[in-house]
Amino acid sequence: MKEVSSVDGISSPEKNKVEGGTLYLVGTPIGNMADISGRAVKVLKEVDFVAAEDTRNTGRLLQAIGSDRPMISYFEHNKKSKGEVIAGRLQAGESCALVTDAGMPGISDPGEDMVRLCAERGVPVTSVPGPCAAIDALVLSALPAGRFSFEGFLPTVKSERAKRLDEVKYDRRTLIFYEAPHRLRETLSALREALGNRRISLCRELTKLNEEIFRSDLDRAVERYAESDPRGEYVLVVDGASEERPAEDRWWAGLTVPEHVEGYVSRGASKNEAIRMTALDLGLSKNHVYKLVLASDGK
Ligand code: SAM
C-alpha cells in the first residue's frame, strides 16, 4: 500500500516513501529558498546520500533544511568517473538524491547523463519536480507558450552559434535560451543579426529580490545593454518566426560539397568541424564528405 504523507497538513496518497536502489532527481530553488518543496525536503533528509553539482551550495541547502545526509560531488568534469560510483552504490541498494546548482537536474546541467546511465543499468529513477528557469521565464514572457523550443546555452564557437541560429531562424515556436551575464551582449547581437528584429522578453533574477522581466524587441534589448551592464542570471524568450524558410535561403544552395565545407571554414570553423556540419546539413556521412573534400583537394 502507498504511504500517505503529510506536508504542512496536506495529506495525499502519493509515492512519498524513499526507496533503496533508486535515483531521485530533486528540483531545488532557482534563487528563492522558499521554493523548496515539502517532498524535496523529505527526500533530501531520507536518502542514503546526495550527489551534488556544487557541494558548497548544496551543503548550505542541506543545512537550511536540517538534513545531515552525506554528499558526493557530481559535476561536468567528473561525471564519467563519479557517475560509475553513484550507479554502483545505487545497484548495491542505496538511495541517492541528485541535485544540481539550481532548478531541475538535467536541464542544461549534467543531470541527464546520470539518468541515461541509470536507464542503461536498469536502476529506477524518479523525480521530485521543482522550479525550472526556462518554464518560469516562458510563462512570464507574455509570448506564446503553447509551443516552444528550449535551446539552452548557445554554442560559444561563433560558427557553431551561427549554425544553431540558422537552424531555428524559421522555427515558428517560441525560443528559450539561457545565458550568462558576461555573454549577454554578444548573444543579443547574434540573435538580432541571425533572426532579425523580434519580440524578446529578458527574464532576469527570477524568483529573487531583483526579479525583472523586460518585454521588448531585440533592437531595444541590444540598445539597452549597450548602455548598462548585464547583471545576474538571464533567460531570453524570443518570439518564433513569422514565416517559413524560403528554399533559396540556405546559404549553401548551389554550392558543391567541398565549397560548402569551405564556407564553414571561412566562417571560422576548423576543417573537421566544417566537415561535420556539412554532413549534418546534407544528411551525408562525415566519411563521405571527407572523401569528396580529399578528391577535390587532389584535383
Ligand atoms: N537546471 C536549471 C533549471 O532547471 O533552470 C538550469 C541550470 S543552467 C546551468 C543555469 C542557467 O539557468 C543560468 O545561466 C540562467 O540562464 C538560468 N537561470 C537559473 N536560475 C535563474 C534565475 N533565477 N533567473 C534567471 N535565469 C536563471
Side-chain angles (χ1 to χ4, degrees):
M1 202 178 94
K2 292 214 168 120
E3 183 191 321
V4 176
S5 85
S6 168
V7 173
D8 285 347
I10 304 166
S11 295
S12 61
E14 289 161 4
K15 53 180 227 163
N16 289 341
K17 189 167 175 288
V18 172
E19 308 275 0
T22 301
L23 178 71
Y24 291 82
L25 298 178
V26 179
T28 55
I30 56 169
N32 190 325
M33 268 299 287
D35 287 335
I36 188 91
S37 75
R39 195 164 154 237
V41 169
K42 176 175 161 64
V43 169
L44 289 170
K45 282 178 160 177
E46 293 184 9
V47 282
D48 291 311
F49 67 103
V50 176
E53 189 179 9
D54 181 328
T55 49
R56 273 170 311 173
N57 262 353
T58 302
R60 282 192 289 272
L61 173 72
L62 295 186
Q63 199 181 18
I65 62 171
S67 165
D68 62 357
R69 300 295 69 207
M71 280 186 289
I72 175 171
S73 86
Y74 176 77
F75 60 97
E76 192 54 36
H77 300 293
N78 73 4
K79 66 185 182 190
K80 232 178 146 75
S81 58
K82 284 295 177 66
E84 288 297 333
V85 173
I86 295 166
R89 289 178 66 172
L90 285 161
Q91 286 178 298
E94 288 186 78
S95 55
C96 171
L98 177 67
V99 292
T100 49
D101 260 1
M104 274 313 288
I107 300 298
S108 290
D109 60 35
E112 75 173 269
D113 296 85
M114 197 59 232
V115 175
R116 203 171 299 119
L117 186 61
C118 286
E120 280 165 19
R121 302 275 168 90
V123 171
V125 182
T126 189
S127 75
V128 181
C132 174
I135 299 299
D136 196 14
L138 175 68
V139 296
L140 292 171
S141 69
L143 291 170
R147 292 182 68 214
F148 60 90
S149 173
F150 174 64
E151 296 295 322
F153 291 96
L154 281 167
T156 48
V157 176
K158 267 191 187 168
S159 58
E160 289 185 17
R161 181 175 67 202
K163 177 166 165 32
R164 181 75 58 82
L165 289 175
D166 186 63
E167 280 167 16
V168 299
K169 182 171 174 184
Y170 289 99
D171 195 327
R172 309 295 280 261
R173 297 170 295 179
T174 299
L175 305 171
I176 307 174
F177 301 93
Y178 281 167
E179 197 46 282
H182 66 280
R183 299 192 52 226
L184 185 76
R185 281 196 180 113
E186 190 181 333
T187 297
L188 287 173
S189 300
L191 288 169
R192 171 66 182 92
E193 192 185 328
L195 308 180
N197 194 22
R198 294 192 187 181
R199 289 185 295 170
I200 181 172
S201 293
L202 279 119
C203 303
R204 188 173 83 85
E205 296 287 83
L206 293 167
T207 75
K208 303 183 198 174
L209 217 51
N210 295 325
E211 173 173 299
E212 179 192 38
I213 318 295
F214 178 67
R215 301 184 185 97
S216 187
D217 60 26
L218 277 163
D219 277 344
R220 290 208 188 91
V222 167
E223 250 171 57
R224 178 182 204 209
Y225 285 103
E227 288 155 14
S228 67
D229 284 339
R231 288 225 177 88
E233 300 197 273
Y234 289 86
V235 181
L236 317 182
V237 187
V238 181
D239 213 359
S242 52
E243 53 187 44
E244 303 286 343
R245 180 189 288 277
E248 67 283 4
D249 186 70
R250 299 184 174 135
W251 65 262
W252 60 85
L255 299 185
T256 64
V257 172
E259 284 168 348
H260 188 156
V261 172
E262 219 27 63
Y264 276 125
V265 172
S266 66
R267 289 167 162 81
S270 69
K271 193 93 170 192
N272 270 340
E273 274 171 6
I275 288 174
R276 183 174 61 77
M277 292 191 288
T278 303
L280 261 177
D281 291 339
L282 302 178
L284 300 172
S285 76
K286 267 196 322 199
N287 208 14
H288 185 56
V289 173
Y290 180 69
K291 281 184 183 154
L292 292 172
V293 170
L294 266 191
S296 97
D297 284 350
K299 275 183 192 162

